[in-house]
Amino acid sequence: MGNNFTITVVAENEKIGNENINLAINEIKRIEKLLTTYKTDSQTNLINENAGIEPVKVDLEVFNLIERSLGISKITQGAFDISYGSIDKSLWNFDKTMTKLPDSDTALKMVHLIDYRNIILDKKHTTVFLKEKGMRIGFGGIGKGYAAEMAKQMLLKHNVQSGIINASGDLSAWGLQPNGKKWTIGVANPDSPTAAFSYMEISNKAIATSGNYEKFVTINSKKYSHTIDPKTGLPVTGIKSVTIIASNAEFADAMATPIAVMGIKAGLCLIDQIPDLYCIIIDDNNKIYTSKNINLK
């Protein structure tokens, strides 16, 4: 998935621990195969190849994930949109070859295909149809959270009472440490991502962070984040990082990017309306904003 996964389990001995870790690894690999755009025969690519042509029958699991993604698009008013895949690499590639910003007119032309309302689902036949030719979907905004959640569920089925699945900072933690305490999780400092600016003690919660330090390009001494506003095709500015705390890793992962797109005021307003969802935002001036009922240490 282009991300490092770290799996921690509490077990009676090393042999059982390693067996359980392998179960989680196999589940993550299975999901990657299902959702990747890097393999021509994946269901995601079949949907994309048939954009504007015909509906594609998919596994119920893929159908349900797309249906949930569209639900998140609705509540975020399109700030989360899996049809972002139509943004061409020539517009944003975030590597050292990029020396200038695309102009706003070019960016706008390229985002016209991004519209979750043109992803047509047929529940009866479990088919997915992209209405417009050239449309593409991708699971970059939800896939690793989904994989972390499914790996956790797999371990729970095998009676693993405590553990952490960490998908490059999007993590799900459950149960308690061997000493009976909750897991202590550090929230990354955007200016120094290997250090933490704060800690939280959690159990049976998921955390996801979207930050401009993960993937970015610097042009004329200004840092531009890989978080793109699907309405303009240009990077989000003003926010260094968004951290979401939820009961489910998939939902936490999916909400981190749109909150950055929506901005501090609208983002926190939405978070406060959704039960059991919490948020920490750090702006460009290192000011910290939190949703209701968050206690940072």
PDB file of all heavy atoms in Angstrom, residues 67-79:
ATOM      1  N   GLU A  67     -19.578   2.395  -1.007  1.00  0.00           N
ATOM      2  CA  GLU A  67     -20.825   2.978  -0.487  1.00  0.00           C
ATOM      3  C   GLU A  67     -20.553   3.816   0.763  1.00  0.00           C
ATOM      4  O   GLU A  67     -21.072   4.932   0.905  1.00  0.00           O
ATOM      5  CB  GLU A  67     -21.816   1.848  -0.175  1.00  0.00           C
ATOM      6  CG  GLU A  67     -23.212   2.330   0.130  1.00  0.00           C
ATOM      7  CD  GLU A  67     -24.208   1.188   0.251  1.00  0.00           C
ATOM      8  OE1 GLU A  67     -23.911   0.203   0.969  1.00  0.00           O
ATOM      9  OE2 GLU A  67     -25.269   1.271  -0.374  1.00  0.00           O
ATOM     10  N   ARG A  68     -19.715   3.306   1.657  1.00  0.00           N
ATOM     11  CA  ARG A  68     -19.360   4.069   2.871  1.00  0.00           C
ATOM     12  C   ARG A  68     -18.566   5.328   2.495  1.00  0.00           C
ATOM     13  O   ARG A  68     -18.736   6.386   3.102  1.00  0.00           O
ATOM     14  CB  ARG A  68     -18.559   3.215   3.860  1.00  0.00           C
ATOM     15  CG  ARG A  68     -19.367   2.100   4.493  1.00  0.00           C
ATOM     16  CD  ARG A  68     -18.682   1.488   5.691  1.00  0.00           C
ATOM     17  NE  ARG A  68     -17.395   0.881   5.402  1.00  0.00           N
ATOM     18  CZ  ARG A  68     -17.212  -0.349   4.932  1.00  0.00           C
ATOM     19  NH1 ARG A  68     -18.251  -1.113   4.668  1.00  0.00           N
ATOM     20  NH2 ARG A  68     -15.993  -0.833   4.728  1.00  0.00           N
ATOM     21  N   SER A  69     -17.690   5.208   1.486  1.00  0.00           N
ATOM     22  CA  SER A  69     -16.911   6.368   1.021  1.00  0.00           C
ATOM     23  C   SER A  69     -17.837   7.473   0.517  1.00  0.00           C
ATOM     24  O   SER A  69     -17.620   8.656   0.798  1.00  0.00           O
ATOM     25  CB  SER A  69     -15.951   5.956  -0.100  1.00  0.00           C
ATOM     26  OG  SER A  69     -15.007   5.022   0.365  1.00  0.00           O
ATOM     27  N   LEU A  70     -18.878   7.090  -0.214  1.00  0.00           N
ATOM     28  CA  LEU A  70     -19.834   8.079  -0.734  1.00  0.00           C
ATOM     29  C   LEU A  70     -20.609   8.737   0.415  1.00  0.00           C
ATOM     30  O   LEU A  70     -20.921   9.933   0.359  1.00  0.00           O
ATOM     31  CB  LEU A  70     -20.811   7.441  -1.730  1.00  0.00           C
ATOM     32  CG  LEU A  70     -20.179   6.857  -3.010  1.00  0.00           C
ATOM     33  CD1 LEU A  70     -21.261   6.450  -3.995  1.00  0.00           C
ATOM     34  CD2 LEU A  70     -19.226   7.832  -3.671  1.00  0.00           C
ATOM     35  N   GLY A  71     -20.866   7.964   1.467  1.00  0.00           N
ATOM     36  CA  GLY A  71     -21.522   8.516   2.664  1.00  0.00           C
ATOM     37  C   GLY A  71     -20.652   9.605   3.302  1.00  0.00           C
ATOM     38  O   GLY A  71     -21.152  10.659   3.714  1.00  0.00           O
ATOM     39  N   ILE A  72     -19.327   9.369   3.344  1.00  0.00           N
ATOM     40  CA  ILE A  72     -18.398  10.361   3.916  1.00  0.00           C
ATOM     41  C   ILE A  72     -18.311  11.581   2.997  1.00  0.00           C
ATOM     42  O   ILE A  72     -18.225  12.713   3.463  1.00  0.00           O
ATOM     43  CB  ILE A  72     -17.012   9.725   4.193  1.00  0.00           C
ATOM     44  CG1 ILE A  72     -17.155   8.667   5.296  1.00  0.00           C
ATOM     45  CG2 ILE A  72     -15.985  10.777   4.604  1.00  0.00           C
ATOM     46  CD1 ILE A  72     -15.983   7.725   5.437  1.00  0.00           C
ATOM     47  N   SER A  73     -18.362  11.352   1.680  1.00  0.00           N
ATOM     48  CA  SER A  73     -18.392  12.482   0.736  1.00  0.00           C
ATOM     49  C   SER A  73     -19.600  13.382   1.010  1.00  0.00           C
ATOM     50  O   SER A  73     -19.491  14.608   0.972  1.00  0.00           O
ATOM     51  CB  SER A  73     -18.467  11.976  -0.713  1.00  0.00           C
ATOM     52  OG  SER A  73     -17.284  11.304  -1.057  1.00  0.00           O
ATOM     53  N   LYS A  74     -20.739  12.748   1.291  1.00  0.00           N
ATOM     54  CA  LYS A  74     -21.964  13.538   1.540  1.00  0.00           C
ATOM     55  C   LYS A  74     -21.819  14.387   2.797  1.00  0.00           C
ATOM     56  O   LYS A  74     -22.113  15.573   2.788  1.00  0.00           O
ATOM     57  CB  LYS A  74     -23.175  12.609   1.657  1.00  0.00           C
ATOM     58  CG  LYS A  74     -23.654  12.145   0.298  1.00  0.00           C
ATOM     59  CD  LYS A  74     -24.822  11.169   0.407  1.00  0.00           C
ATOM     60  CE  LYS A  74     -25.095  10.538  -0.950  1.00  0.00           C
ATOM     61  NZ  LYS A  74     -25.425   9.120  -0.863  1.00  0.00           N
ATOM     62  N   ILE A  75     -21.342  13.777   3.893  1.00  0.00           N
ATOM     63  CA  ILE A  75     -21.287  14.551   5.151  1.00  0.00           C
ATOM     64  C   ILE A  75     -20.194  15.616   5.120  1.00  0.00           C
ATOM     65  O   ILE A  75     -20.263  16.600   5.845  1.00  0.00           O
ATOM     66  CB  ILE A  75     -21.157  13.665   6.418  1.00  0.00           C
ATOM     67  CG1 ILE A  75     -19.839  12.887   6.444  1.00  0.00           C
ATOM     68  CG2 ILE A  75     -22.356  12.760   6.605  1.00  0.00           C
ATOM     69  CD1 ILE A  75     -19.538  12.237   7.794  1.00  0.00           C
ATOM     70  N   THR A  76     -19.177  15.428   4.257  1.00  0.00           N
ATOM     71  CA  THR A  76     -18.111  16.445   4.160  1.00  0.00           C
ATOM     72  C   THR A  76     -18.327  17.368   2.955  1.00  0.00           C
ATOM     73  O   THR A  76     -17.440  18.148   2.613  1.00  0.00           O
ATOM     74  CB  THR A  76     -16.716  15.783   4.044  1.00  0.00           C
ATOM     75  OG1 THR A  76     -16.669  14.978   2.854  1.00  0.00           O
ATOM     76  CG2 THR A  76     -16.401  14.927   5.253  1.00  0.00           C
ATOM     77  N   GLN A  77     -19.502  17.256   2.331  1.00  0.00           N
ATOM     78  CA  GLN A  77     -19.863  18.076   1.162  1.00  0.00           C
ATOM     79  C   GLN A  77     -18.791  18.019   0.068  1.00  0.00           C
ATOM     80  O   GLN A  77     -18.404  19.030  -0.523  1.00  0.00           O
ATOM     81  CB  GLN A  77     -20.114  19.524   1.598  1.00  0.00           C
ATOM     82  CG  GLN A  77     -21.308  19.607   2.523  1.00  0.00           C
ATOM     83  CD  GLN A  77     -21.528  21.003   3.066  1.00  0.00           C
ATOM     84  OE1 GLN A  77     -20.599  21.774   3.224  1.00  0.00           O
ATOM     85  NE2 GLN A  77     -22.769  21.315   3.368  1.00  0.00           N
ATOM     86  N   GLY A  78     -18.295  16.798  -0.165  1.00  0.00           N
ATOM     87  CA  GLY A  78     -17.355  16.582  -1.269  1.00  0.00           C
ATOM     88  C   GLY A  78     -15.893  16.839  -0.932  1.00  0.00           C
ATOM     89  O   GLY A  78     -15.027  16.701  -1.794  1.00  0.00           O
ATOM     90  N   ALA A  79     -15.597  17.219   0.315  1.00  0.00           N
ATOM     91  CA  ALA A  79     -14.185  17.436   0.696  1.00  0.00           C
ATOM     92  C   ALA A  79     -13.431  16.103   0.710  1.00  0.00           C
ATOM     93  O   ALA A  79     -12.222  16.061   0.509  1.00  0.00           O
ATOM     94  CB  ALA A  79     -14.093  18.111   2.062  1.00  0.00           C
TER      95      ALA A  79
END
